[in-house]
Amino acid sequence: MKIWVAVLSILGGTSGIISGVLVTAGGAFTESADMANDGASVFWLSILAIFIGFLSWVPKSIVRKVCGALLIIYSFYGFVINGLFFTLAFIFLLIAGCLALFMKPKSTKAVNA
């Protein structure tokens, strides 16, 4: 189950990178500095989201919960900053964050012979 967190964060991060590049290029084309800065911040945020998705594999429960919360925060922040360009990344990162946050660790049961 935890492999899905990494896969979804890669898909969301890649979609976010594309979104950030498009918004940055649009801001540079229309000479809107705010739009270009927002696109650049979403670009770097998406790269960070991919890294956070891989950090959610850590077996410690607190690290996984923090990574899940960060993925959810990144998804909402990117959606507010980039809007509809970030929709696909928003969906992937939100699902990955919820999976990482609410995923139950596998219990290791000792088998007595």
Side-chain angles (χ1 to χ4, degrees):
M1 186 65 138
K2 65 183 179 180
I3 191 139
W4 283 106
V5 176
V7 169
L8 288 171
S9 66
I10 289 172
L11 290 173
T14 305
S15 300
I17 289 170
I18 293 169
S19 167
V21 167
L22 288 175
V23 171
T24 303
F29 181 71
T30 60
E31 298 177 1
S32 174
D34 291 336
M35 186 175 171
N37 288 336
D38 290 344
S41 67
V42 167
F43 174 82
W44 291 110
L45 183 88
S46 299
I47 291 175
L48 192 60
I50 293 172
F51 181 70
I52 294 295
F54 282 112
L55 271 181
S56 67
W57 278 19
V58 175
K60 294 186 179 182
S61 177
I62 188 71
V63 174
R64 193 174 57 242
K65 290 188 186 292
V66 168
C67 290
L70 283 175
L71 285 172
I72 292 172
I73 290 169
Y74 291 168
S75 68
F76 280 108
Y77 180 73
F79 189 71
V80 168
I81 295 297
N82 264 11
L84 290 177
F85 283 110
F86 199 75
T87 303
L88 191 61
F90 169 77
I91 293 169
F92 286 139
L93 291 177
L94 186 66
I95 293 172
C98 289
L99 282 177
L101 195 61
F102 300 118
M103 184 173 38
K104 302 281 185 203
K106 287 185 178 180
S107 61
T108 56
K109 296 180 181 178
V111 176
N112 294 332

